[in-house]
Amino acid sequence: MSDNQSWNSSGSEEDLEPREDYGHPVGIAEFSGVLSKWTNYIHGWQDRWVVLKNNTLSYYKSQDETEYGCRGSLCLSKAIITPHEFDECRLDISVNDSIWYLRAQDPEHRNQWIDSIELHRSIRKEKTEKGGVQAAVIIPPPLADSGYGSESSLRRHGSMLSLTSATSGFSATSTSSFKKGHSLREKLAEMETFRDILCRQVDTLQKYFDSCADAVSKDELQRDKIMEDDEDDFPNTRTDGEFLHNNNGSKEKLFHSLSPKEMNGIDFKGEAITFKATTAGILATLSHCIDLMVKREDSWQKRLDKEMEKRRRTEESYKSALNELKKKSHFGGPDYEEGPNSLINEDEFFDAVEAALDRQDKIEEQCQTEKTRIHRSSPVSHGGIYSSSGTHRFSDKPYRKVVRASPVDVHRFSSEVEEMVQNHMTYSLQDVGGDANWQLVVEEGEMKVYRREVEENGIVLDPLKATHSVKGVTGHEVCHYFWDTAYRNDWETTIENFNIVETLSDNAVIVYQTHKRVWPASQRDVLYLSAMRKMVANNENDPDTWLVCNFSVDHNDAQPTSRCVRAKINIAMICQTLVSPPEGDKEISRNNIMCKITYVANVNPGGWAPASVLRAVAKREYPKFLKRFTSYVQDKTAGKPILF
């Protein structure tokens, strides 16, 4: 186990979760170490101190900063741990819409982390399940066992109470459920009236039946008592039989609960007829309600279908929005950057690259506007000449024409430089008009850009050739500003940083530069030798040629790294100065000169960027580069002596 990753088994109360399992205490040890975490597409993978404790995964910027609090944490109860299919050192942990991309230093450490996480999750699950069983034990017994709501308790309720409760519940439900139907509402009101009448009638009939039952019961008791008295002593009776005289001389009423007056006060036949009519009215009203509901069934069904369809569309929209949200939340992760197993398709790749280039153009435009404003507000120095060594100096000496061929530099790459220069002079200056393999892709005024489609092992290696004519500058001036790194940041907008690795001679250097990343493409770097040469024409009527060639080399001080994809280049800027004779005895001015530029580029970008994207970017960016660079040279040389 490495120094950066270790079991923390201090046994402190904070680090252990006591858990009783069959009477034995068990603790979960803390697990911590360094993992690389994907931050964003700008910073990529960054080392973070990760701690697994109490079923929670937390990360800190470093081990020394743990006391300042974690930068983020995930609860592992519902987390999904996914070992990557292709990267043996990587694991992804997702909880709902949050996802962490983590990389261990080797597959063994990744497996240790996965095992530790699963251990925490399993122990936590066992503890939760055990707690659930204990909770189930203290749940009170069912209410049915208490007698409440049982059949015997229901029997104790009177029939009148039960009828009234049932009808009240029915009316409340009915009136609330059918508010919108006017006819139905009227019928329900009728049912309320019938219910009240029926309840009164039931009450009256109940009293009658209770009185009858009491009278019969008392009559039987009295008869039994008379029979017993007859055996012992015969009581005195009146002839009308209304009263009985007891031994003590008191009188007792035979049927005091059912007097003739009370019996005559109840029209049993009338009550029965009314009860029957009320019941018939309720049945008729119910039948009418059923008819109304049947008639409304079709409209209700249509309304229900409409609501179901609306719900279905809403659910689909929700799912679509949720998927889009998940996609956006994960978009920008390591699975969506350039690579052999990238999840981003070609169209999305192109859209993302184009959007990033548009943002860079906007930023560059703002910077140029600010530079122009500052330049106009500051005084401009005029005069001076250029040194032949390629560095820019100002001098108060009078101008004199400098025409000198640069000597052949002697260094360990001299033969390679000479070979490149001769190849460019032989092949790059050839006319492409009659070659069908060259395709004209851009034509803007004097500028024409050609391309020949070449692919090798799926990588685009399209040679590119551009021709342009620029007034008011010489070939020496154009090559000077293109070669000298002192001006590189003034016109090159795609470079993030660069440095001179080795100076081979006055006109030859080895340069390492990294280009700005255009997500989702990987960042590129390039190590190349840059040499500037002057080729004197064999015929005095032909113009001299200035040339800058940049081609990839290897160097011990700039080895390839995993952070960038190393691109290979072979580029040449070939310039010839055309001079038109001035009128009369006038001196040659910038109005009399023109630079004919031939720019050739053979670039192997490496990596896995789609071919269509590379071609589209080249078609867009190369013309912009030529116009931006030549305009920069014109601005820099305006008002200054001519450098031939």
Side-chain angles (χ1 to χ4, degrees):
M1 193 167 292
S2 66
D3 297 335
N4 293 330
Q5 185 171 346
S6 61
W7 284 93
N8 185 348
S9 305
S10 61
S12 65
E13 204 175 310
E14 180 182 351
D15 295 340
L16 295 177
E17 284 189 5
R19 187 176 71 89
E20 217 170 50
D21 198 1
Y22 301 104
H24 301 285
V26 179
I28 309 176
E30 176 184 314
F31 190 60
S32 59
V34 174
L35 289 176
S36 296
K37 183 178 182 296
W38 176 265
T39 54
N40 52 54
Y41 70 86
I42 296 177
H43 300 291
W45 297 98
Q46 298 290 332
D47 288 344
R48 294 289 182 261
W49 181 257
V50 183
V51 176
L52 174 60
K53 179 181 179 182
N54 296 338
N55 201 40
T56 301
L57 195 67
S58 308
Y59 78 92
Y60 306 81
K61 187 174 181 181
S62 65
Q63 187 177 7
D64 298 333
E65 297 187 8
T66 53
E67 59 184 11
Y68 301 117
C70 69
R71 295 196 165 198
S73 62
L74 284 178
C75 179
L76 299 175
S77 298
K78 297 183 179 180
I80 299 175
I81 293 88
T82 307
H84 197 265
E85 183 179 0
F86 305 104
D87 191 343
E88 295 182 351
C89 299
R90 178 177 147 193
L91 67 152
D92 301 342
I93 303 177
S94 60
V95 179
N96 297 328
D97 294 337
S98 178
I99 183 167
W100 287 8
Y101 306 102
L102 303 172
R103 291 188 85 254
Q105 60 185 12
D106 52 49
E108 180 182 354
H109 285 92
R110 183 190 75 168
N111 294 335
Q112 290 178 1
W113 274 101
I114 294 175
D115 294 341
S116 300
I117 292 173
E118 293 297 343
L119 176 64
H120 273 248
R121 283 156 54 91
S122 61
I123 295 179
R124 174 68 67 172
K125 184 177 180 182
E126 291 175 7
K127 183 175 181 180
T128 304
E129 289 176 352
K130 182 178 179 182
V133 172
Q134 292 173 345
V137 172
I138 63 173
I139 293 176
L143 292 175
D145 296 342
S146 66
Y148 180 81
S150 63
E151 185 179 357
S152 60
S153 66
L154 291 176
R155 287 201 186 104
R156 289 194 290 269
H157 294 279
S159 61
M160 191 62 241
L161 179 61
S162 301
L163 178 60
T164 305
S165 302
T167 54
S168 300
F170 172 76
S171 65
T173 305
S174 300
T175 52
S176 63
S177 302
F178 303 102
K179 291 180 182 178
K180 297 182 180 179
H182 180 66
S183 300
L184 194 59
R185 192 162 53 240
E186 291 178 354
K187 291 301 176 182
L188 290 173
E190 291 179 13
M191 290 182 64
E192 291 283 348
T193 304
F194 282 132
R195 188 203 67 171
D196 295 338
I197 296 172
L198 191 61
C199 288
R200 289 195 296 270
Q201 292 172 349
V202 169
D203 188 38
T204 302
L205 292 173
Q206 186 73 44
K207 288 180 180 179
Y208 179 78
F209 293 141
D210 290 343
S211 298
C212 291
D214 290 342
V216 171
S217 177
K218 288 184 178 181
D219 183 40
E220 291 178 352
L221 290 173
Q222 193 65 35
R223 287 179 186 278
D224 292 341
K225 187 175 182 182
I226 291 172
M227 293 293 291
E228 292 175 358
D229 291 341
D230 286 343
E231 294 176 359
D232 299 331
D233 188 16
F234 291 97
N236 297 321
T237 61
R238 292 175 59 92
T239 56
D240 53 10
E242 183 178 350
F243 294 94
L244 292 175
H245 296 271
N246 296 326
N247 294 330
N248 57 6
S250 64
K251 298 179 181 180
E252 183 176 347
K253 197 173 183 180
L254 181 62
F255 299 111
H256 83 283
S257 297
L258 190 59
S259 64
K261 185 178 179 181
E262 291 178 355
M263 293 295 292
N264 292 334
I266 298 176
D267 184 5
F268 180 76
K269 185 176 182 179
E271 290 292 339
I273 294 173
T274 307
F275 183 82
K276 183 178 179 181
T278 304
T279 307
I282 290 178
L283 293 176
T285 305
L286 285 174
S287 178
H288 196 171
C289 290
I290 292 173
D291 292 338
L292 289 175
M293 286 188 285
V294 169
K295 291 179 181 179
R296 291 174 177 270
E297 183 179 6
D298 292 340
S299 61
W300 288 348
Q301 186 64 43
K302 291 179 181 178
R303 208 176 284 178
L304 176 63
D305 294 341
K306 186 176 180 180
E307 291 298 325
M308 293 292 290
E309 179 64 21
K310 187 186 296 185
R311 177 175 179 175
R312 185 187 63 81
R313 289 198 301 266
T314 303
E315 288 178 349
E316 289 179 354
S317 300
Y318 170 75
K319 290 179 181 178
S320 177
L322 186 62
N323 292 334
E324 191 67 22
L325 181 63
K326 289 182 178 179
K327 183 177 178 182
K328 288 182 179 180
S329 66
H330 297 165
F331 209 69
D335 290 326
Y336 289 88
E337 65 176 351
E338 177 189 349
N341 304 303
S342 177
L343 298 181
I344 189 171
N345 61 45
E346 194 166 317
D347 292 337
E348 292 171 336
F349 197 105
F350 176 77
D351 292 341
V353 169
E354 189 174 39
L357 291 175
D358 289 339
R359 286 194 297 271
Q360 288 186 7
D361 290 345
K362 190 173 182 180
I363 294 173
E364 178 61 24
E365 184 179 350
Q366 293 173 350
C367 293
Q368 286 298 119
T369 303
E370 183 65 18
K371 287 180 181 179
T372 303
R373 186 186 64 80
I374 296 174
H375 178 72
R376 289 176 179 176
S377 61
S378 60
V380 179
S381 176
H382 296 282
I385 61 170
Y386 302 99
S387 69
S388 60
S389 64
T391 57
H392 184 202
R393 297 201 204 103
F394 293 97
S395 174
D396 294 331
K397 295 181 180 180
Y399 165 76
R400 61 186 180 87
K401 186 176 180 180
V402 178
V403 180
R404 187 182 66 180
S406 59
V408 177
D409 299 322
V410 179
H411 47 76
R412 68 178 186 278
F413 289 101
S414 298
S415 59
E416 287 89 339
V417 172
E418 187 64 25
E419 182 181 359
M420 287 292 179
V421 169
Q422 294 302 325
N423 286 336
H424 285 302
M425 291 300 296
T426 303
Y427 301 107
S428 299
L429 293 179
Q430 291 180 353
D431 188 13
V432 298
D435 192 343
N437 293 326
W438 288 97
Q439 303 174 8
L440 179 63
V441 292
V442 177
E443 183 174 7
E444 296 181 10
E446 296 291 333
M447 181 175 60
K448 295 180 180 180
V449 180
Y450 301 88
R451 180 181 66 205
R452 190 171 69 238
E453 294 189 359
V454 176
E455 287 190 29
E456 183 178 325
N457 297 326
I459 299 178
V460 175
L461 304 176
D462 295 352
L464 184 138
K465 185 174 184 177
T467 59
H468 195 21
S469 297
V470 184
K471 294 182 179 180
V473 296
T474 65
H476 189 181
E477 291 170 334
V478 172
C479 288
H480 166 71
Y481 283 104
F482 185 73
W483 178 83
D484 197 336
T485 56
Y487 308 100
R488 185 66 52 84
N489 284 328
D490 293 343
W491 55 267
E492 180 60 275
T493 61
T494 65
I495 291 179
E496 183 175 85
N497 55 63
F498 71 93
N499 64 284
I500 297 176
V501 178
E502 182 180 353
T503 300
L504 300 175
S505 67
D506 290 342
N507 294 319
V509 293
I510 295 178
V511 180
Y512 172 77
Q513 65 187 30
T514 57
H515 291 264
K516 296 176 182 177
R517 185 180 182 186
V518 181
W519 189 87
S522 300
Q523 189 173 21
R524 259 72 177 177
D525 64 357
V526 60
L527 178 68
Y528 62 94
L529 188 153
S530 181
M532 182 172 66
R533 295 281 298 275
K534 178 183 179 181
M535 309 299 294
V536 179
N538 295 327
N539 189 342
E540 62 180 9
N541 294 325
D542 294 334
D544 294 336
T545 301
W546 282 90
L547 178 145
V548 175
C549 63
N550 300 335
F551 59 94
S552 293
V553 294
D554 295 325
H555 200 283
N556 293 331
D557 294 340
Q559 296 293 331
T561 64
S562 58
R563 179 172 172 266
C564 298
V565 175
R566 179 65 56 90
K568 302 293 185 180
I569 65 170
N570 183 5
I571 295 173
M573 176 76 75
I574 307 171
C575 302
Q576 295 176 327
T577 305
L578 305 179
V579 182
S580 59
E583 297 180 357
D585 296 333
K586 294 182 179 180
E587 293 185 357
I588 296 176
S589 67
R590 293 196 175 273
N591 294 328
N592 302 119
I593 60 176
M594 175 183 290
C595 180
K596 181 181 178 182
I597 299 175
T598 301
Y599 178 81
V600 291
N602 293 271
V603 179
N604 181 348
W608 299 271
S612 60
V613 176
L614 291 174
R615 291 190 171 109
V617 171
K619 182 179 178 180
R620 163 183 167 146
E621 293 301 311
Y622 276 115
K624 288 169 57 178
F625 149 71
L626 273 180
K627 288 191 292 184
R628 181 174 62 248
F629 172 68
T630 53
S631 297
Y632 169 79
V633 176
Q634 286 177 318
D635 292 339
K636 291 292 288 185
T637 57
K640 295 179 181 178
I642 303 173
L643 179 64
F644 285 97

